[in-house]
Amino acid sequence: MAAENSKQFWKRSAKLPGSIQPVYGAQHPPLDPRLTKNFIKERSKVNTVPLKNKKASSFHEFARNTSDAWDIGDDEEEDFSSPSFQTLNSKVALATAAQVLENHSKLRVKPERSQSTTSDVPASYKVIKSSSDAQLSRNSSDTCLRNPLHKQQSLPLRPIIPLVARISDQNASGAPPMTVREKTRLEKFRQLLSSHNTDLDELRKCSWPGVPREVRPVTWRLLSGYLPANTERRKLTLQRKREEYFGFIEQYYDSRNEEHHQDTYRQIHIDIPRTNPLIPLFQQPLVQEIFERILFIWAIRHPASGYVQGINDLVTPFFVVFLSEYVEEDVENFDVTNLSQDMLRSIEADSFWCMSKLLDGIQDNYTFAQPGIQKKVKALEELVSRIDEQVHNHFRRYEVEYLQFAFRWMNNLLMRELPLRCTIRLWDTYQSEPEGFSHFHLYVCAAFLIKWRKEILDEEDFQGLLMLLQNLPTIHWGNEEIGLLLAEAYRLKYMFADAPNHYRR
């Protein structure tokens, strides 16, 4: 009878964070079950009910109203012969046409100047680092495009994402991959790593501004606590830990088909193809099999939390870094079947152990109801209210809750907000900081939010703010942007971490 009641409880509580069911904010914020029940009815009314000017009063209402805006081809079958398209005022049309002709004539007046200024700029300086920079560089003439329909244009737009988000470690600005200073830093790393007993404190200091790609695999193993500082013990330690991991595979992996593990394995199997879906490396069947084994073994060895959506993302940086030890070119298109079985086994085992070390420090993020994330989101809200009261009040005015966007930031460690190359650079610093993935990450999130204050303050409705915060334009970011973000996060930590009277109101 107790088992029956327990089973009924878990069925009723399956939607709570911490279960293996979809987690709030992991892939996308969930819909209320009561809303999904009436989804078909609501959708059938879209074409018959006129657009309301009133802003969405809640997040669930916002999700319901925009849930079909992402359907492929949702605007291809629009009926342009309907009366709504025939009520255009002729005076407005003539005025708009006259304005367009006038702007066009102005652009043609000074062609020589525009051509000369463009030709004077070297090709390497024409890269736009982010779409927010592009918006800031627009001149005031663009304001004529803002018309009374601006409120309707706040509906979600599909983000433009390149087919492949590059994993290369180079700066997005096109700077050379190796400067004289970086060569000097690489030599310093090699001296530290080759010493009989590596000075881990000195290694952390050197790693804070970034780790050179050539020495990143061994540096990450040391900073994770996976490898000992003594060079003579490293080879035996690696051999023993890799054998131990594959012992777990032999002992536990077949149990994925047993009834009490089926739900866990099924959720992992569903989530793996969603992991960085635009990078071909992670769509290879062999790579997906590796990820399934890593996540399943970790889940059954940590029953307090089990598998939670979002943990699958945390494997990818380790996998890419340890793969780069055997691959010189960019790895996003590399076919892993070209590697030997021993190489693949080493990459898999090292990824498992380093991910486990990371999760040991933030496991309360993934236990039942995810209390660690709840506390961090609340701390972020308090911190932002002290750092930038204008942004904080802007959220309150339009009823935006921090949980609606920052849950994913904490659950996935900003991995859904940044290109993978930026996550790898970010983790260089996280592994150098004490409690980098928990405590310091809070200040990185605060700095990341304030980075977009202009764009945030420009949005004046609930829908626009949520769409901005869930699709921030970082696809062109590189090491430079991450360096500035980390510097600001360090400044915030220095000001607020040890100043509780300033931290609280």
Side-chain angles (χ1 to χ4, degrees):
M1 187 66 183
E4 180 97 11
N5 291 336
S6 174
K7 190 174 293 185
Q8 291 299 321
F9 169 76
W10 287 112
K11 284 185 178 179
R12 292 195 303 271
S13 308
K15 68 176 182 178
L16 288 173
S19 70
I20 60 169
Q21 300 299 324
V23 172
Y24 178 56
Q27 179 70 25
H28 52 265
L31 297 180
D32 192 305
R34 293 169 295 179
L35 298 177
T36 55
K37 189 175 181 180
N38 299 322
F39 177 71
I40 299 176
K41 292 182 181 179
E42 292 296 330
R43 187 167 181 176
S44 65
K45 297 177 183 178
V46 169
N47 294 328
T48 59
V49 179
L51 181 65
K52 294 182 179 180
N53 291 327
K54 179 186 174 184
K55 69 179 179 65
S57 59
S58 69
F59 179 66
H60 290 308
E61 185 178 344
F62 157 71
R64 180 187 62 192
N65 291 340
T66 60
S67 59
D68 63 340
W70 302 93
D71 292 344
I72 301 300
D74 57 359
D75 55 352
E76 291 175 358
E77 299 179 1
E78 193 68 63
D79 184 7
F80 291 99
S81 62
S82 63
S84 61
F85 286 97
Q86 297 173 0
T87 58
L88 185 64
N89 190 314
S90 59
K91 291 182 180 180
V92 175
L94 289 172
T96 305
Q99 184 67 58
V100 171
L101 290 172
E102 183 183 349
N103 291 339
H104 185 65
S105 63
K106 285 180 181 178
L107 292 174
R108 296 185 63 183
V109 170
K110 303 174 183 177
E112 295 83 2
R113 182 179 177 185
S114 62
Q115 290 175 5
S116 62
T117 53
T118 314
S119 60
D120 291 341
V121 181
S124 60
Y125 290 95
K126 293 180 183 178
V127 177
I128 296 176
K129 295 179 184 175
S130 70
S131 56
S132 61
D133 293 341
Q135 291 172 0
L136 293 173
S137 65
R138 290 174 184 166
N139 55 36
S140 59
S141 66
D142 287 350
T143 56
C144 67
L145 297 177
R146 298 199 175 192
N147 52 38
L149 297 178
H150 176 68
K151 285 289 182 183
Q152 295 182 17
Q153 291 170 354
S154 65
L155 290 174
L157 300 174
R158 298 189 186 94
I160 300 173
I161 302 175
L163 290 178
V164 177
R166 303 284 290 177
I167 303 176
S168 74
D169 198 31
Q170 299 178 13
N171 290 330
S173 60
M178 184 73 77
T179 63
V180 175
R181 179 176 175 274
E182 287 171 336
K183 287 180 180 177
T184 306
R185 291 189 69 243
L186 178 58
E187 190 58 35
K188 177 72 183 293
F189 270 94
R190 284 178 170 156
Q191 289 177 2
L192 273 171
L193 296 171
S194 62
S195 60
H196 182 67
N197 279 298
T198 300
D199 186 341
L200 294 180
D201 290 334
E202 187 63 27
L203 185 63
R204 289 189 184 95
K205 290 178 185 177
C206 291
S207 301
W208 206 100
V211 181
R213 172 184 165 134
E214 294 81 358
V215 293
R216 184 174 273 137
V218 64
T219 301
W220 276 27
R221 291 188 189 105
L222 284 164
L223 295 179
S224 296
Y226 175 46
L227 271 188
N230 186 291
T231 52
E232 294 178 356
R233 294 173 51 208
R234 289 178 193 169
K235 186 175 180 180
L236 286 175
T237 300
L238 280 177
Q239 182 179 349
R240 177 175 58 83
K241 296 297 285 184
R242 288 167 180 170
E243 289 175 357
E244 184 179 355
Y245 168 71
F246 283 101
F248 293 151
I249 296 290
E250 292 178 10
Q251 185 176 357
Y252 299 118
Y253 193 58
D254 286 341
S255 67
R256 68 190 185 278
N257 298 316
E258 296 176 7
E259 185 177 355
H260 59 291
H261 287 151
Q262 276 186 356
D263 288 343
T264 298
Y265 180 72
R266 186 183 300 114
Q267 189 62 55
I268 291 172
H269 189 73
I270 290 170
D271 289 344
I272 293 300
R274 300 173 181 171
T275 306
N276 290 296
L278 299 180
I279 299 178
L281 172 69
F282 300 112
Q283 301 309 306
Q284 297 178 38
L286 186 55
V287 174
Q288 294 186 356
E289 289 173 14
I290 290 172
F291 275 48
E292 283 184 7
R293 287 195 293 268
I294 289 173
L295 293 170
F296 182 76
I297 295 301
W298 187 88
I300 63 174
R301 294 190 74 246
H302 295 81
S305 60
Y307 173 72
V308 176
Q309 281 183 309
I311 294 179
N312 55 307
D313 287 330
L314 305 184
V315 186
T316 55
F318 292 115
F319 185 83
V320 167
V321 167
F322 297 137
L323 176 61
S324 69
E325 200 167 19
Y326 305 98
V327 181
E328 292 186 2
E329 66 269 21
D330 288 324
V331 300
E332 64 262 32
N333 293 299
F334 182 76
D335 184 358
V336 296
T337 58
N338 294 326
L339 296 178
S340 68
Q341 187 67 22
D342 287 343
M343 290 177 182
L344 288 171
R345 286 169 65 90
S346 298
I347 293 168
E348 179 176 348
D350 293 356
S351 298
F352 169 81
W353 286 116
C354 288
M355 185 198 75
S356 298
K357 293 284 186 181
L358 185 161
L359 288 171
D360 285 346
I362 57 171
Q363 193 166 354
D364 62 341
N365 283 10
Y366 304 104
T367 53
F368 182 72
Q370 300 182 265
I373 292 180
Q374 305 281 351
K375 285 188 286 187
K376 289 186 180 77
V377 171
K378 183 63 178 174
L380 178 66
E381 181 176 355
E382 293 175 359
L383 187 58
V384 172
S385 71
R386 304 302 298 163
I387 296 168
D388 197 323
E389 193 171 6
Q390 188 178 4
V391 168
H392 179 70
N393 290 336
H394 192 70
F395 286 151
R396 294 183 65 182
R397 178 182 178 186
Y398 295 105
E399 301 176 8
V400 174
E401 299 290 339
Y402 284 76
L403 201 66
Q404 291 162 353
F405 63 89
F407 191 99
R408 188 171 77 179
W409 295 9
M410 303 299 178
N411 190 63
N412 301 87
L413 299 176
L414 286 176
M415 288 194 63
R416 299 285 174 93
E417 324 309 319
L418 299 170
L420 186 52
R421 61 177 178 272
C422 294
T423 297
I424 291 171
R425 166 64 192 91
L426 191 66
W427 285 21
D428 288 343
T429 301
Y430 279 6
Q431 297 194 80
S432 309
E433 275 279 327
E435 298 182 322
F437 291 96
S438 54
H439 185 64
F440 188 62
H441 179 67
L442 170 66
Y443 297 95
V444 171
C445 288
F448 186 66
L449 181 64
I450 302 305
K451 164 75 175 69
W452 309 102
R453 77 181 308 275
K454 181 185 181 300
E455 290 85 350
I456 288 169
L457 296 176
D458 284 345
E459 294 290 346
E460 296 183 344
D461 60 56
F462 180 86
Q463 294 184 13
L465 281 165
L466 259 293
M467 296 311 302
L468 170 69
L469 292 166
Q470 292 175 355
N471 298 280
L472 290 165
T474 61
I475 194 64
H476 298 292
W477 275 30
N479 289 352
E480 296 169 34
E481 288 81 2
I482 295 299
L484 292 171
L485 181 70
L486 288 166
E488 177 63 13
Y490 186 82
R491 185 184 72 85
L492 294 175
K493 179 191 172 189
Y494 183 80
M495 291 176 62
F496 291 94
D498 298 317
N501 292 333
H502 295 284
Y503 183 75
R504 299 188 183 91
R505 286 189 175 279

Short mmCIF file of all heavy atoms in Angstrom, two decimals, residues 254-286:
data_model
loop_
_atom_site.label_atom_id
_atom_site.label_comp_id
_atom_site.label_asym_id
_atom_site.label_seq_id
_atom_site.Cartn_x
_atom_site.Cartn_y
_atom_site.Cartn_z
N ASP A 254 23.80 -2.40 -18.73
CA ASP A 254 22.72 -3.28 -19.21
C ASP A 254 21.42 -3.07 -18.44
O ASP A 254 20.34 -3.42 -18.93
CB ASP A 254 23.15 -4.75 -19.09
CG ASP A 254 24.18 -5.11 -20.17
OD1 ASP A 254 24.27 -4.36 -21.16
OD2 ASP A 254 24.90 -6.11 -20.00
N SER A 255 21.51 -2.47 -17.24
CA SER A 255 20.30 -2.27 -16.44
C SER A 255 19.42 -1.16 -16.99
O SER A 255 18.32 -0.92 -16.47
CB SER A 255 20.67 -1.95 -14.99
OG SER A 255 21.30 -0.67 -14.91
N ARG A 256 19.86 -0.47 -18.06
CA ARG A 256 19.04 0.59 -18.66
C ARG A 256 17.71 0.05 -19.18
O ARG A 256 16.74 0.80 -19.33
CB ARG A 256 19.80 1.29 -19.78
CG ARG A 256 20.05 0.42 -21.01
CD ARG A 256 21.01 1.11 -21.98
NE ARG A 256 21.20 0.38 -23.22
CZ ARG A 256 22.02 -0.64 -23.37
NH1 ARG A 256 22.73 -1.09 -22.32
NH2 ARG A 256 22.15 -1.25 -24.54
N ASN A 257 17.66 -1.26 -19.46
CA ASN A 257 16.43 -1.87 -19.98
C ASN A 257 15.52 -2.38 -18.86
O ASN A 257 14.41 -2.83 -19.13
CB ASN A 257 16.78 -3.03 -20.92
CG ASN A 257 17.56 -2.54 -22.13
OD1 ASN A 257 17.22 -1.52 -22.73
ND2 ASN A 257 18.62 -3.27 -22.50
N GLU A 258 16.00 -2.29 -17.61
CA GLU A 258 15.16 -2.72 -16.49
C GLU A 258 14.10 -1.66 -16.20
O GLU A 258 14.30 -0.47 -16.47
CB GLU A 258 16.03 -2.97 -15.25
CG GLU A 258 17.02 -4.11 -15.44
CD GLU A 258 17.95 -4.27 -14.24
OE1 GLU A 258 17.73 -3.57 -13.22
OE2 GLU A 258 18.89 -5.08 -14.32
N GLU A 259 13.00 -2.11 -15.64
CA GLU A 259 11.83 -1.23 -15.49
C GLU A 259 12.13 0.01 -14.67
O GLU A 259 11.72 1.12 -15.02
CB GLU A 259 10.68 -2.02 -14.83
CG GLU A 259 9.39 -1.21 -14.75
CD GLU A 259 8.25 -2.03 -14.16
OE1 GLU A 259 8.46 -3.24 -13.91
OE2 GLU A 259 7.17 -1.45 -13.94
N HIS A 260 12.90 -0.10 -13.57
CA HIS A 260 13.12 1.04 -12.69
C HIS A 260 14.14 2.04 -13.25
O HIS A 260 14.33 3.11 -12.68
CB HIS A 260 13.55 0.57 -11.29
CG HIS A 260 14.80 -0.26 -11.28
ND1 HIS A 260 14.84 -1.53 -11.82
CD2 HIS A 260 16.05 -0.01 -10.81
CE1 HIS A 260 16.05 -2.03 -11.67
NE2 HIS A 260 16.81 -1.13 -11.07
N HIS A 261 14.79 1.68 -14.36
CA HIS A 261 15.72 2.62 -14.99
C HIS A 261 15.26 3.07 -16.38
O HIS A 261 15.92 3.90 -17.01
CB HIS A 261 17.12 1.99 -15.13
CG HIS A 261 17.85 1.87 -13.83
ND1 HIS A 261 18.79 0.87 -13.59
CD2 HIS A 261 17.78 2.61 -12.70
CE1 HIS A 261 19.26 1.01 -12.36
NE2 HIS A 261 18.67 2.05 -11.81
N GLN A 262 14.15 2.51 -16.84
CA GLN A 262 13.71 2.80 -18.21
C GLN A 262 13.39 4.27 -18.42
O GLN A 262 13.74 4.85 -19.45
CB GLN A 262 12.48 1.95 -18.57
CG GLN A 262 12.86 0.56 -19.06
CD GLN A 262 11.64 -0.21 -19.55
OE1 GLN A 262 10.51 0.27 -19.45
NE2 GLN A 262 11.87 -1.41 -20.07
N ASP A 263 12.73 4.90 -17.45
CA ASP A 263 12.36 6.32 -17.60
C ASP A 263 13.60 7.20 -17.70
O ASP A 263 13.66 8.13 -18.50
CB ASP A 263 11.49 6.78 -16.44
CG ASP A 263 10.08 6.20 -16.51
OD1 ASP A 263 9.71 5.72 -17.60
OD2 ASP A 263 9.37 6.21 -15.49
N THR A 264 14.59 6.90 -16.87
CA THR A 264 15.84 7.68 -16.91
C THR A 264 16.51 7.55 -18.26
O THR A 264 16.89 8.55 -18.88
CB THR A 264 16.79 7.20 -15.80
OG1 THR A 264 16.18 7.41 -14.52
CG2 THR A 264 18.11 7.95 -15.86
N TYR A 265 16.66 6.32 -18.71
CA TYR A 265 17.35 6.10 -19.99
C TYR A 265 16.57 6.70 -21.14
O TYR A 265 17.15 7.27 -22.07
CB TYR A 265 17.58 4.61 -20.22
CG TYR A 265 18.29 4.33 -21.53
CD1 TYR A 265 19.64 4.63 -21.67
CD2 TYR A 265 17.60 3.80 -22.61
CE1 TYR A 265 20.29 4.40 -22.87
CE2 TYR A 265 18.25 3.58 -23.82
CZ TYR A 265 19.59 3.87 -23.94
OH TYR A 265 20.23 3.65 -25.13
N ARG A 266 15.24 6.59 -21.10
CA ARG A 266 14.42 7.13 -22.18
C ARG A 266 14.60 8.65 -22.27
O ARG A 266 14.74 9.21 -23.36
CB ARG A 266 12.95 6.80 -21.95
CG ARG A 266 12.05 7.21 -23.12
CD ARG A 266 10.58 6.94 -22.82
NE ARG A 266 10.34 5.53 -22.55
CZ ARG A 266 9.95 5.04 -21.38
NH1 ARG A 266 9.77 5.86 -20.35
NH2 ARG A 266 9.74 3.75 -21.22
N GLN A 267 14.64 9.34 -21.12
CA GLN A 267 14.79 10.80 -21.14
C GLN A 267 16.18 11.19 -21.66
O GLN A 267 16.32 12.15 -22.44
CB GLN A 267 14.59 11.37 -19.74
CG GLN A 267 14.51 12.89 -19.70
CD GLN A 267 13.34 13.43 -20.51
OE1 GLN A 267 12.20 13.05 -20.29
NE2 GLN A 267 13.63 14.31 -21.45
N ILE A 268 17.20 10.45 -21.27
CA ILE A 268 18.55 10.70 -21.78
C ILE A 268 18.58 10.50 -23.29
O ILE A 268 19.14 11.32 -24.04
CB ILE A 268 19.57 9.77 -21.09
CG1 ILE A 268 19.73 10.15 -19.61
CG2 ILE A 268 20.93 9.83 -21.79
CD1 ILE A 268 20.56 9.18 -18.80
N HIS A 269 17.96 9.43 -23.74
CA HIS A 269 17.94 9.10 -25.17
C HIS A 269 17.22 10.19 -25.97
O HIS A 269 17.61 10.49 -27.10
CB HIS A 269 17.23 7.76 -25.36
CG HIS A 269 17.33 7.22 -26.75
ND1 HIS A 269 18.51 6.69 -27.26
CD2 HIS A 269 16.42 7.14 -27.77
CE1 HIS A 269 18.31 6.30 -28.51
NE2 HIS A 269 17.06 6.57 -28.85
N ILE A 270 16.22 10.81 -25.38
CA ILE A 270 15.50 11.90 -26.05
C ILE A 270 16.34 13.17 -26.09
O ILE A 270 16.37 13.89 -27.09
CB ILE A 270 14.16 12.18 -25.33
CG1 ILE A 270 13.19 11.01 -25.55
CG2 ILE A 270 13.53 13.50 -25.79
CD1 ILE A 270 11.94 11.09 -24.69
N ASP A 271 17.07 13.44 -25.00
CA ASP A 271 17.79 14.71 -24.88
C ASP A 271 19.10 14.75 -25.67
O ASP A 271 19.54 15.83 -26.07
CB ASP A 271 18.10 15.00 -23.41
CG ASP A 271 16.85 15.38 -22.63
OD1 ASP A 271 15.84 15.70 -23.29
OD2 ASP A 271 16.88 15.35 -21.39
N ILE A 272 19.72 13.61 -25.89
CA ILE A 272 21.05 13.60 -26.54
C ILE A 272 21.01 14.25 -27.93
O ILE A 272 21.86 15.09 -28.24
CB ILE A 272 21.60 12.16 -26.62
CG1 ILE A 272 21.91 11.65 -25.22
CG2 ILE A 272 22.86 12.13 -27.48
CD1 ILE A 272 22.92 12.44 -24.46
N PRO A 273 20.06 13.93 -28.82
CA PRO A 273 20.05 14.59 -30.13
C PRO A 273 19.82 16.10 -30.05
O PRO A 273 20.15 16.83 -30.98
CB PRO A 273 18.90 13.90 -30.88
CG PRO A 273 18.71 12.61 -30.17
CD PRO A 273 19.03 12.88 -28.75
N ARG A 274 19.25 16.59 -28.94
CA ARG A 274 19.01 18.02 -28.78
C ARG A 274 20.26 18.76 -28.33
O ARG A 274 20.26 19.99 -28.26
CB ARG A 274 17.91 18.26 -27.74
CG ARG A 274 16.57 17.64 -28.07
CD ARG A 274 15.63 17.80 -26.88
NE ARG A 274 14.32 17.21 -27.13
CZ ARG A 274 13.39 17.07 -26.17
NH1 ARG A 274 13.65 17.48 -24.95
NH2 ARG A 274 12.22 16.53 -26.47
N THR A 275 21.31 18.05 -27.99
CA THR A 275 22.53 18.67 -27.49
C THR A 275 23.30 19.27 -28.65
O THR A 275 23.80 18.55 -29.51
CB THR A 275 23.40 17.63 -26.76
OG1 THR A 275 22.61 16.98 -25.75
CG2 THR A 275 24.61 18.27 -26.13
N ASN A 276 23.41 20.61 -28.68
CA ASN A 276 24.08 21.32 -29.76
C ASN A 276 23.68 20.76 -31.13
O ASN A 276 24.52 20.25 -31.88
CB ASN A 276 25.61 21.23 -29.59
CG ASN A 276 26.10 22.03 -28.41
OD1 ASN A 276 25.99 23.25 -28.38
ND2 ASN A 276 26.62 21.33 -27.43
N PRO A 277 22.41 20.86 -31.49
CA PRO A 277 21.93 20.22 -32.72
C PRO A 277 22.52 20.79 -34.00
O PRO A 277 22.45 20.14 -35.04
CB PRO A 277 20.41 20.46 -32.66
CG PRO A 277 20.25 21.67 -31.81
CD PRO A 277 21.34 21.60 -30.79
N LEU A 278 23.10 21.99 -33.96
CA LEU A 278 23.65 22.60 -35.17
C LEU A 278 25.11 22.24 -35.40
O LEU A 278 25.71 22.66 -36.39
CB LEU A 278 23.51 24.13 -35.09
CG LEU A 278 22.07 24.64 -34.98
CD1 LEU A 278 22.04 26.15 -34.92
CD2 LEU A 278 21.22 24.14 -36.14
N ILE A 279 25.71 21.49 -34.49
CA ILE A 279 27.11 21.08 -34.64
C ILE A 279 27.15 19.61 -35.07
O ILE A 279 26.72 18.73 -34.32
CB ILE A 279 27.89 21.30 -33.33
CG1 ILE A 279 27.86 22.78 -32.95
CG2 ILE A 279 29.33 20.83 -33.48
CD1 ILE A 279 28.56 23.10 -31.66
N PRO A 280 27.65 19.33 -36.27
CA PRO A 280 27.63 17.95 -36.79
C PRO A 280 28.30 16.93 -35.89
O PRO A 280 27.88 15.78 -35.84
CB PRO A 280 28.36 18.07 -38.13
CG PRO A 280 28.20 19.50 -38.54
CD PRO A 280 28.19 20.29 -37.27
N LEU A 281 29.34 17.33 -35.15
CA LEU A 281 30.05 16.40 -34.28
C LEU A 281 29.09 15.67 -33.35
O LEU A 281 29.19 14.45 -33.17
CB LEU A 281 31.09 17.17 -33.45
CG LEU A 281 31.80 16.38 -32.34
CD1 LEU A 281 32.72 15.33 -32.95
CD2 LEU A 281 32.58 17.31 -31.42
N PHE A 282 28.14 16.40 -32.77
CA PHE A 282 27.26 15.82 -31.76
C PHE A 282 26.07 15.07 -32.35
O PHE A 282 25.26 14.53 -31.61
CB PHE A 282 26.78 16.91 -30.81
CG PHE A 282 27.91 17.60 -30.09
CD1 PHE A 282 28.21 18.92 -30.34
CD2 PHE A 282 28.69 16.91 -29.19
CE1 PHE A 282 29.26 19.55 -29.71
CE2 PHE A 282 29.75 17.52 -28.54
CZ PHE A 282 30.03 18.84 -28.80
N GLN A 283 25.97 15.06 -33.67
CA GLN A 283 24.91 14.28 -34.32
C GLN A 283 25.41 12.93 -34.81
O GLN A 283 24.64 12.16 -35.37
CB GLN A 283 24.30 15.08 -35.48
CG GLN A 283 23.71 16.42 -35.07
CD GLN A 283 22.74 16.29 -33.90
OE1 GLN A 283 21.80 15.51 -33.96
NE2 GLN A 283 22.97 17.05 -32.83
N GLN A 284 26.68 12.65 -34.61
CA GLN A 284 27.22 11.35 -35.02
C GLN A 284 26.75 10.26 -34.06
O GLN A 284 26.82 10.44 -32.83
CB GLN A 284 28.75 11.41 -35.05
CG GLN A 284 29.30 12.41 -36.06
CD GLN A 284 30.81 12.49 -36.03
OE1 GLN A 284 31.50 11.48 -35.86
NE2 GLN A 284 31.36 13.70 -36.19
N PRO A 285 26.27 9.14 -34.58
CA PRO A 285 25.74 8.07 -33.71
C PRO A 285 26.74 7.61 -32.65
O PRO A 285 26.35 7.37 -31.50
CB PRO A 285 25.42 6.94 -34.70
CG PRO A 285 25.18 7.63 -36.00
CD PRO A 285 26.11 8.81 -36.02
N LEU A 286 28.01 7.52 -33.01
CA LEU A 286 29.01 7.04 -32.05
C LEU A 286 29.17 8.03 -30.89
O LEU A 286 29.29 7.61 -29.73
CB LEU A 286 30.36 6.85 -32.77
CG LEU A 286 31.48 6.22 -31.95
CD1 LEU A 286 31.04 4.88 -31.36
CD2 LEU A 286 32.73 6.03 -32.82
#
